[in-house]
Amino acid sequence: MNLEEYAAKQHVLLPAAVLIPRGIVCRTPEEASAAVAGIGPSVIKAQVPTGKRGKSGGIKMADKPEEGAAAAREILGMTIGGSRVERVLVEERCPIERELYAAVLIDVASRSPLVLFSTEGGMDIEEVADKKPDAIRRHIVDVARGFGAPDAAALLGGLDLGPAADAVGDVLVKLYRVFCEKDAELVEINPLAILRGGKVVALDCKFVLDDASTARQPELVKVASVPEMTSLEERGAAHGLRFIQLDGNVGVLANGAGLTMTTMDVIDHFGGRPANFLEIGGEAYTKAEVALDLVLSNPGVKSLVVNFCGAFARTDVMADGVVRAWETLKPKVPAFFTIHGTGADEAVKLVRARLGIEPYDLMEDAVKAAVEAAQ
């Protein structure tokens, strides 16, 4: 769950005492004009839960109220990263001396929080990592110890940040605290600016909330961006299913998010294109008919992979749900099953007897056949 810049600044950084520029959220050119009149020279920024707004024309400068209105008129209604711009942030223009980068996220390899810092702020961090990997400093956090001022000082050592070094370190400590307290997957400031006069100010902020923590963070949920959904995604959400529609031609039905994503990766590996993400693990197997109908209602689907792997969950129970759904919906696309784990022998016999389909022993073979059938 993503927060747009204005929401991340107001509801995450400001309560943590991280300095942010003065800004006003506007929904019309007239509001933007009035905001520039009150603030003075401003930056007009599209508010969408995605990056690369500048490259898309979603960030413009305005010195006068009429320039603010004109900029807002151009930006409002744009589509950036699949999101329509409904509002802009009119923010005071700051006298920047240096642009830095700071973030906290989860390091997959160590399964620990990771604090990132770079003096190459204002750029895409992926580009910095590719061209100047040594320009990014990393600190893997021992969660039992936390991340404090001495850790920040060590991370920033030798970077010649001058009098601003302590203030930058303080921001890093606050970011880590926010990351933990707000159940974040990512909190990022790019750029973190050192201004003339020495102030350290967050000129942007990206915040991603762990979806599993929404019940613990109701205030953030209220201001989070509502993802735009296709009609099929809306139908899935109405039935309590996490369905993501893609533009591929191989449908996917698997139990568990990890197995589903693995199946999608294997489809891609063999030159195919997955048409969706949808997992029916846990109690979701009881919604097999709805799930199967969602996958097959995607007009691009030319074949289907059904991949079940049971541990505590029994694959024969899941297969029974899919078989019943298949008999009801009577789909025409070819389907390729692969079943392993608890109840696999019973599940294979069920699919063979009721659908006349022989499941594959190896997932790779089932996926390869589905990719070929979709060509």
Side-chain angles (χ1 to χ4, degrees):
M1 186 170 286
N2 296 284
L3 269 63
E4 293 174 5
E5 175 192 359
Y6 81 93
K9 284 178 173 175
Q10 290 291 329
H11 297 274
V12 177
L13 296 188
L14 196 59
V18 175
L19 294 180
I20 61 174
R22 186 162 55 112
I24 300 173
V25 178
C26 303
R27 289 171 174 77
T28 67
E30 293 73 24
E31 289 180 1
S33 175
V36 175
I39 292 175
S42 303
V43 185
I44 317 298
K45 298 193 274 187
Q47 295 301 286
V48 287
T50 185
K52 298 180 173 60
R53 292 173 296 167
K55 293 180 179 179
S56 302
I59 298 178
K60 299 183 182 296
M61 303 296 173
D63 291 323
K64 302 176 182 179
E66 57 269 26
E67 294 174 354
R73 197 171 289 114
E74 290 183 35
I75 295 173
L76 290 167
M78 291 177 63
T79 298
I80 301 176
S83 297
R84 178 182 169 83
V85 181
E86 304 280 351
R87 50 193 159 257
V88 295
L89 176 62
V90 178
E91 196 168 69
E92 66 175 313
R93 202 179 308 164
C94 296
I96 303 169
E97 285 200 342
R98 292 186 70 177
E99 292 186 332
L100 314 171
Y101 174 92
V104 186
L105 64 158
I106 291 293
D107 176 61
V108 177
S110 66
R111 293 177 288 183
S112 301
L114 172 67
V115 180
L116 291 181
F117 181 82
S118 176
T119 55
E120 302 285 334
M123 299 174 59
D124 291 337
I125 196 62
E126 295 86 357
E127 186 177 337
V128 176
D130 183 51
K131 295 182 178 179
K132 299 180 179 180
D134 293 339
I136 302 175
R137 294 197 172 186
R138 299 167 171 84
H139 178 97
I140 294 175
V141 180
D142 178 350
V143 292
R145 285 186 59 251
F147 184 84
D151 302 302
L155 183 63
L156 301 176
L159 291 179
D160 191 25
L161 296 175
D166 288 344
V168 172
D170 185 55
V171 169
L172 293 179
V173 172
K174 290 173 178 175
L175 277 192
Y176 178 72
R177 186 180 306 132
V178 160
F179 179 83
C180 297
E181 293 177 352
K182 300 295 186 182
D183 295 309
E185 290 184 356
L186 168 70
V187 55
E188 174 187 82
I189 300 175
N190 187 23
L192 177 66
I194 300 176
L195 307 185
R196 286 198 300 269
K199 282 187 178 180
V200 176
V201 179
L203 298 188
D204 197 359
C205 183
K206 182 176 182 180
F207 182 91
V208 181
L209 176 67
D210 182 349
D211 289 347
S213 300
T214 53
R216 288 157 46 106
Q217 304 293 343
E219 294 306 314
L220 294 183
V221 172
K222 289 178 184 177
V223 296
S225 298
V226 178
E228 297 183 16
M229 296 183 178
T230 67
S231 59
L232 289 179
E233 289 169 345
E234 289 177 348
R235 196 200 310 176
H239 286 89
L241 293 172
R242 180 75 183 277
F243 176 80
I244 300 175
Q245 186 174 355
L246 305 173
D247 61 358
N249 53 13
V250 181
V252 180
L253 198 60
N255 66 296
L259 183 61
T260 303
M261 290 187 287
T262 299
T263 307
M264 294 168 70
D265 286 343
V266 176
I267 291 171
D268 182 72
H269 174 75
F270 284 117
R273 293 180 297 118
N276 64 275
F277 171 93
L278 174 63
E279 60 96 3
I280 57 170
E283 60 87 28
Y285 78 89
T286 62
K287 304 170 184 176
E289 184 174 333
V290 174
L292 183 61
D293 188 45
L294 279 172
V295 173
L296 298 177
S297 293
N298 186 340
V301 170
K302 304 299 181 186
S303 67
L304 174 67
V305 174
V306 180
N307 189 3
F308 289 153
C309 184
F312 299 107
R314 293 189 60 90
T315 57
D316 55 332
V317 175
M318 292 183 282
D320 181 66
V322 172
V323 167
R324 289 173 184 271
W326 197 274
E327 292 173 337
T328 299
L329 298 172
K330 297 179 171 59
K332 302 299 182 184
V333 301
F336 304 88
F337 284 71
T338 177
I339 304 170
H340 298 90
T342 308
D345 291 342
E346 294 89 339
V348 168
K349 291 178 182 177
L350 180 68
V351 172
R352 184 187 294 138
R354 299 268 290 274
L355 301 184
I357 297 174
E358 186 65 33
Y360 285 77
D361 290 334
L362 299 178
M363 176 181 67
E364 292 89 340
D365 292 337
V367 169
K368 194 182 300 183
V371 169
E372 291 173 357
Q375 300 305 318

